């Protein structure tokens, strides 16, 4: 049974809201995700490529924060089984094994999102629209097959995002205070 190596990008903003992407012909939200291709030299490059392909956001609008590893250390924890009629089943996959990457994106950059995939990307449009939402809302609105992954990320990602924002906006550590 084959699980496709997959990257899943969780983008958050300065309010610790996460970017939810509404799939076309669906009521479920997800985040940008996609296969780690042979030509991807590392998982981070795969994430940047998928973010650009699926929502048109360029690398310079993002800040990579960290990879979120499965709490139990087992990569199988971030596996999910594909829906019975999923397109990837035609290629022999029964599911995907996700690598979860966390990125910061300014809230205002949502105006640069373009869910219409450029023809030269050679991939179909995946999303109808995107919106900022709490991690809890995103967890509640994801597809059932990914619910266990989103539940774990909902526990792990917000504290990491909050710590990142505190550090990012912390005063200089030179010990000199402005008078």
């Amino acid at each position: 049974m084959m699980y496709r190596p997959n990257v899943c990008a969780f983008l958050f903003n300065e309010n610790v809201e996460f970017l939810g992407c509404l799939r076309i012909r669906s009521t479920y939200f997800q985040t940008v995700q996609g296969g780690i291709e042979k030509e991807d030299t590392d998982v981070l490059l795969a994430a940047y490529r998928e973010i650009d392909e699926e929502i048109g956001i360029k690398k310079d609008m993002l800040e990579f924060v960290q990879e979120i590893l499965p709490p139990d250390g087992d990569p199988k924890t971030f596996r999910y089984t594909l829906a019975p009629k999923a397109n990837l089943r035609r290629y022999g996959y029964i599911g995907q094994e996700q690598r979860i990457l966390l990125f910061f994106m300014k809230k205002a950059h949502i105006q640069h999102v373009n869910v219409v995939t450029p023809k030269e990307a050679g991939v179909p449009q995946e999303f109808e629209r995107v919106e900022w939402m709490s991690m809890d809302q995103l967890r509640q609105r994801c597809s059932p097959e990914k619910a266990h992954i989103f539940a774990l990320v909902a526990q792990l990602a917000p504290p990491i995002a909050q710590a990142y924002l505190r550090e990012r906006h912390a005063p200089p550590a030179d010990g000199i205070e402005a008078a």
Side-chain angles (χ1 to χ4, degrees):
M1 295 194 273
M2 290 191 351
Y3 285 84
R4 178 181 181 222
N6 179 283
V7 64
C8 183
F10 281 80
L11 281 59
F12 69 93
N13 66 28
E14 45 278 64
N15 299 333
V16 192
E17 296 168 315
F18 290 79
L19 193 69
C21 306
L22 179 64
R23 291 194 58 86
I24 288 179
R25 295 177 294 285
S26 174
T27 58
Y28 297 121
F29 280 79
Q30 66 176 53
T31 62
V32 170
Q33 70 170 50
I36 300 171
E37 309 294 344
K38 287 183 179 73
E39 61 272 7
D40 292 323
T41 53
D42 67 41
V43 68
L44 186 56
L45 290 177
Y48 285 129
R49 178 182 48 74
E50 288 293 336
I51 294 166
D52 186 19
E53 280 178 6
E54 293 185 3
I55 61 171
I57 293 294
K58 306 296 182 202
K59 182 179 176 179
D60 65 354
M61 291 186 207
L62 301 165
E63 294 174 29
F64 173 64
V65 176
Q66 74 174 66
E67 181 169 1
I68 296 178
L69 300 172
D72 62 4
D74 185 353
K76 293 182 187 122
T77 300
F78 287 158
R79 278 185 178 176
Y80 71 92
T81 303
L82 293 164
K85 293 185 180 181
N87 189 38
L88 285 174
R89 286 195 178 262
R90 294 185 306 161
Y91 303 102
Y93 295 109
I94 63 159
Q96 300 203 77
E97 186 169 298
Q98 299 195 305
R99 300 270 304 269
I100 310 292
L101 300 185
L102 188 60
F103 293 87
F104 170 76
M105 181 175 92
K106 290 180 181 170
K107 185 170 186 155
H109 285 340
I110 198 169
Q111 69 183 333
H112 298 289
V113 167
N114 181 5
V115 295
V116 179
T117 309
K119 285 188 179 20
E120 61 271 13
V123 294
Q125 179 177 341
E126 292 203 32
F127 305 123
E128 187 176 304
R129 63 182 166 84
V130 301
E131 63 184 79
W132 292 114
M133 60 183 69
S134 72
M135 189 61 224
D136 212 43
Q137 289 171 310
L138 186 53
R139 179 189 56 79
Q140 292 168 11
R141 297 166 83 179
C142 77
S143 64
E145 63 268 14
K146 296 177 188 170
H148 68 287
I149 297 170
F150 277 65
L152 280 172
V153 175
Q155 292 172 18
L156 301 169
I160 295 168
Q162 290 162 347
Y164 176 80
L165 291 170
R166 276 193 308 274
E167 184 180 300
R168 187 174 181 268
H169 297 292
D174 61 10
I176 302 170
E177 292 184 5

